[in-house]
Amino acid sequence: MTSTLKKPRHKKALLMPLFFVEGQVAVGVELIGQVVSMWFKTMGYIIRGDFDKKEAWRQSYMIGVKSFTVVAITALCTGFAMSLQISRELVLFGADTAIGGVVSLALVREIGPITAGVMVAGRVGSSVAAELATMVITEQIDALKVMRVDPIRFLVVPRYIAGLTMTLVLSVYAMAIGLLAGIYIASIAANLPAATFLDSVHQTILDRDFVTHFIKSEINATIIVMFSCAIGLHTRGGAEDVGIATTRTIVWTMTLIFVFNYIVTSLTYAPR
Amino acid sequence: MAMPPMLEIVNLQKSFGNREILKGISFKVYKGEMLGLIGPSGCGKSTILKLICDLLTPDGGEVIRWSDEIGLVFQGSALLNSYTVRENLALALNQRKLKKSDENKIIDDKLKLVGLAGYADAYPSQLSGGQQKRTSFARAIVNDPKIILYDEPTTGLDPVMSTVIEDYMLELSGQLDAASIVVTHQYSTWTRCASRILLMHAGKAVWEGSAEEAVVTENPYMKQFAHATREGPMLSGLL
Ligand SMILES: Nc1ncnc2c1ncn2[C@@H]1O[C@H](COP(=O)(O)OP(=O)(O)O)[C@@H](O)[C@H]1O
Ligand SMILES: [Mg+2]
């Protein structure tokens, strides 16, 4: 009796992680569907020019202000750290004139967009998800619908426009700050003059590296705004679900930023 | 009544998942009257209001409206936090593409009607509970709706503020000669405001009549609800 009871239970317990994964996949597919449909609707409004310019400005300002400090600090510290590591190694090989090139390549192609994306996801994505989820559970979204205001036009479109423009602005800032940090550390650690550093940057960085950088920034903005809005607007329930929506947004956006970063790198990578 | 109704609910059904909330409910609301929709918490009153406003789609039955202009007063006011009182009301006018001066005139008129002239530039968080409720009244009536729905307008307010809100409901619905529905638990609200009462229980209408009849009827459901007793058919098995 006991053995016949135990066996299936044991089996079920082993399969538990699979059931969990199956549930996660279904939820994930549903979310991606919501994001894609929301993106098309949003683009429809943007292409028709049918959006509130004042609100887009307001959102740009909020995103810029919220993100500037965190992006600046992370850019500064990555610039310091990269330059310190690379200076030490290259000085060993007597290749100090290449320091600027290597530091800037890493910053422009990979580390810059990733760190800025992750910081904006943490700062802006989470707050957008919390804001919209709160609007759902306090029936503000229902109120908009009763007034025949489309939440996508009213809430998502201005945030997306703001996200696209502000990540560009922020990424230029981040590049500049990272580079200055690199120059400073190289001059201390490797005694390298700023002019030599910049000369090396100039020789190494190509236009297509900036293009890659901007593509990555805009993809990050799309991931951050679309996932935070979709998760926020599809929240149901009560106050505790706002917290769940925020966490979910962070997990999805940060993971996808790394995934798409690699996809873009592999597509734009070309041997010199 | 000889007049045609403004709003007709026919055999409305709605389930959430496998929980059947509305099991075929029908009623009519006429111009100039206020129907008191009462019943225990969770019996589907708000769901009916949302079905009337197209916020939900019914699984069966239908909602027939003789006017597309509907005002819904949400239970929690549901004002947009990051917008001023004026901007909140302007949003409700967005479909009409009015000139700014005309829009402001309508907004100022409606705010005066609910005793909030001078609060146009305040944010909802700067208002008291009663003021927020009145702002949401003004927003609901900004387009002069012919159908007005109030979801628990006095729940959570003190008795004096409840009376103030009830007076505004009577005044606004009267001025617009609208067909109104008030969902409420509060005794004072349905006895004072409703010209007719519909009691719901377990997804169906179980009693209908005037407020005067409601407090004296021998119908076991209505009697239990009106006298707030434990003895009766409601919640049997749950107590
Ligand atoms: N969108 C929804 N999804 C799932 N269940 C819901 C939803 N809306 C309401 N319900 C459930 O339906 C029942 C009726 O809700 P409601 O109409 O709000 O009741 P009330 O009569 O108190 O206003 C409740 O048990 C509620 O939990
Ligand atoms: Mg309710």
Side-chain angles (χ1 to χ4, degrees), chain A residues 236, chain B residues 16 19 21 40-48 56 151-152 183:
Chain A
R236 294 291 172 270
Chain B
F16 291 115
R19 285 176 57 215
I21 304 297
S41 287
C43 73
K45 304 181 296 296
S46 299
T47 303
I48 292 185
L56 293 171
D151 197 352
E152 304 201 23
V183 163

Side-chain angles (χ1 to χ4, degrees), chain A residues 94-145:
Chain A
D96 18 356
T97 51
I99 293 174
V102 178
V103 170
S104 58
L105 262 191
L107 279 178
V108 174
R109 281 198 198 154
E110 295 292 329
I111 307 202
I114 285 258
T115 45
V118 166
M119 292 321 290
V120 175
R123 193 66 190 82
V124 175
S126 60
S127 83
V128 167
E131 183 189 7
L132 299 197
T134 305
M135 290 181 79
V136 171
I137 63 170
T138 56
E139 298 185 310
Q140 294 178 47
I141 303 294
D142 279 344
L144 286 175
K145 290 181 187 163

